[in-house]
Amino acid sequence: MPDKQAFEEKFWKSIRADMTVMLSVAGVDARPMTAQFDGERKTLYFFTAKDTEIAQKVTRARKATLVYAAKKHDLFATVHGTLRIDNDRETIDRLWNRFVAAWFEKGKDDPKLCLLRFEPADAQIWLDASSLVAGVKMFLGLGDPKKDYEDSVASVSLK
């Protein structure tokens, strides 16, 4: 049985380092987005423009899916949650940075600016089960790779 808390900790550490995810809502294909974090909170924020498909679909809170693959491919996750517009000026001020500023000509006051807020609920997290030991075991016909992999997958509540 996998240690769900360890999976969750690895997920948050990894996504905070990489920040790039694929985000989707019903009717809009997943698209790459850069996550912003407000301290240690489990909420993810995304700056976008009001005229994007995803912003237009989120006029009210909607179920959304976030898909994440770590750069080193040692962790993967599918996260379900709620996406909504949250144009709170104090939050925008806290999260604003030079990378976000590059997308908005008029800065924080750009009329196109839209801040999306993703509240995660549940996640399926996979850890990379491949290793030198696993490869040698498979090569020698020792062990059951499916059984060995069972401890590398967990369903986790991120609420």
Side-chain angles (χ1 to χ4, degrees):
M1 183 78 160
D3 177 356
K4 291 183 179 190
Q5 183 176 353
F7 274 73
E8 182 179 356
E9 288 171 5
K10 287 178 183 181
F11 168 74
W12 286 115
K13 182 178 180 181
S14 182
I15 198 169
R16 285 175 183 276
D18 289 348
M19 298 169 58
T20 302
V21 305
M22 296 295 288
L23 186 64
S24 68
V25 295
V28 178
D29 290 337
R31 59 208 52 235
M33 302 285 284
T34 302
Q36 306 294 321
F37 300 92
D38 192 4
E40 293 302 311
R41 296 181 62 207
K42 294 181 179 182
T43 303
L44 291 87
Y45 294 91
F46 303 94
F47 285 97
T48 192
K50 289 179 181 175
D51 60 355
T52 61
E53 280 184 282
I54 201 161
Q56 291 176 353
K57 286 282 186 180
V58 189
T59 55
R60 59 178 173 73
R62 301 275 308 265
K63 290 182 181 179
T65 302
L66 177 151
V67 177
Y68 172 72
K71 286 181 184 174
K72 294 181 181 178
H73 294 161
D74 56 348
L75 187 144
F76 303 89
T78 299
V79 183
H80 299 282
T82 304
L83 188 66
R84 64 176 43 95
I85 293 174
D86 181 357
N87 287 326
D88 176 67
R89 184 56 186 243
E90 287 180 18
T91 305
I92 291 170
D93 288 342
R94 280 193 310 275
L95 300 177
W96 193 258
N97 60 65
R98 64 186 176 100
F99 301 105
V100 173
W103 290 93
F104 298 96
E105 291 178 12
K106 296 180 181 172
K108 297 175 198 175
D109 296 318
D110 195 311
K112 294 180 183 178
L113 179 71
C114 179
L115 182 63
L116 302 177
R117 174 188 181 126
F118 180 78
E119 295 286 347
D122 301 302
Q124 185 83 13
I125 302 171
W126 297 265
L127 300 178
D128 181 11
S130 63
S131 67
L132 181 58
V133 173
V136 170
K137 281 175 68 176
M138 191 167 8
F139 178 74
L140 297 173
L142 302 173
D144 178 355
K146 288 183 259 174
K147 179 107 173 106
D148 292 344
Y149 193 70
E150 286 176 356
D151 289 336
S152 297
V153 180
S155 293
V156 178
S157 173
L158 299 177
K159 294 178 185 178

